[in-house]
Amino acid sequence: MTEPTAPDETLDSIGTAGVRVLQRRNGYRFTLDAVLLAHFAASENTGAPRPILELGAGSGVVSFLLVKQFNLGPVDALELQPAVHARLQRAVVLNDCETRVKPLLGDLRRIRELVPGGHYAHVVSNPPFRMANAGVRSPDDERAVSKSEVACDASDVVAAARYALTPGGTVSLVYPASRVAEVLGLLTQAKLYPSVLRFVHSRVGSPATRFLVQALRDRDRGLVVRPPLIVHGEAPGGYSTEVAALMDPPLAERVSPLSGDTGD
């Protein structure tokens, strides 16, 4: 049977639960950040499945991993770009997730028009990392919106999460390590109090490249800093044991490692 891809698309597998995502062959493509965020969101939240909102869902990697690999959800997956959203809709069918992942088309800056306030127990986002005025903007609009803060910035993401969360609900984010003070400050100002922080390092002894953070709406229970997450090591694919356990071996050959770009 021929896979349902357009000439400019690829159908890629990720994780240990048979997740498949559609991506542009020469366009913006997810990176390991999406896998690490899904794992972080799942590992720090246990209990019965509860409604989740993903802000900036892109190809749906995080949403699909949450429901298929980590048995969380259901997930409402909000995406701004119509073409990306259309691929996400098709991927929902490919992953048999029609009752578990609901694609939404819209701008998170207009979140009040899209979803009910105070509805979600958990909000996750792998947002654009690069500030709008940092570096040269990609001439490809899809890349530019996914990588740079041209359509939303960190304060917009935090405000949307605050609106969508139930009291005591959790938001999980991934950002460059260089922005840790800024993002933690924005969260605290919004009364989303950081509760868990974990820095991501490419290798043992190397500087942190990313950080993962969870925060609670209206509840300040203090901050726990987890041990560093090391990406590369001696496990299959050149990954650390922890990271290799999150994916099938072929993923190591296809997923971009942590770099200046981010994944959806």
Side-chain angles (χ1 to χ4, degrees), residues 20 69 113 240:
R20 299 191 294 172
Q69 186 160 322
E113 303 171 15
S240 67

Side-chain angles (χ1 to χ4, degrees), residues 87-249:
R87 289 196 294 271
L88 174 58
Q89 288 182 304
R90 291 161 55 210
V92 166
V93 177
L94 288 172
N95 286 285
D96 297 319
C97 284
E98 292 92 332
T99 62
R100 303 175 70 189
V101 176
K102 179 182 178 182
L104 302 175
L105 177 63
D107 189 333
L108 65 81
R109 294 171 297 182
R110 304 180 69 174
I111 191 74
R112 294 174 183 273
E113 303 171 15
L114 301 169
V115 301
H119 175 69
Y120 298 93
H122 200 161
V123 173
V124 297
S125 186
N126 177 16
F129 278 11
R130 185 179 298 166
M131 292 183 176
N133 58 357
V136 178
R137 173 175 170 167
S138 172
D140 182 280
D141 287 342
E142 186 176 307
R143 285 176 179 266
V145 171
S146 299
K147 293 170 58 176
S148 302
E149 294 181 330
V150 296
C152 70
D153 59 21
S155 63
D156 296 321
V157 173
V158 169
R162 166 76 198 184
Y163 167 79
L165 282 171
T166 60
T170 303
V171 57
S172 298
L173 305 171
V174 58
Y175 269 99
S178 60
R179 300 187 67 178
V180 62
E182 172 200 359
V183 173
L184 266 58
L186 289 170
L187 289 167
T188 302
Q189 290 169 20
K191 295 186 179 179
L192 297 171
Y193 296 104
S195 58
V196 182
L197 179 66
R198 193 174 192 191
F199 287 96
V200 181
H201 302 250
S202 179
R203 300 183 182 278
V204 174
S206 66
T209 58
R210 302 281 190 266
F211 73 92
L212 297 151
V213 62
Q214 289 193 352
L216 301 175
R217 178 183 161 176
D218 299 327
R219 297 182 185 177
D220 188 355
R221 296 178 175 172
L223 177 64
V224 175
V225 181
R226 300 291 187 212
L229 193 164
I230 308 300
V231 173
H232 294 291
E234 301 302 320
Y239 285 91
S240 67
T241 301
E242 181 177 7
V243 172
L246 301 177
M247 57 189 74
D248 290 327

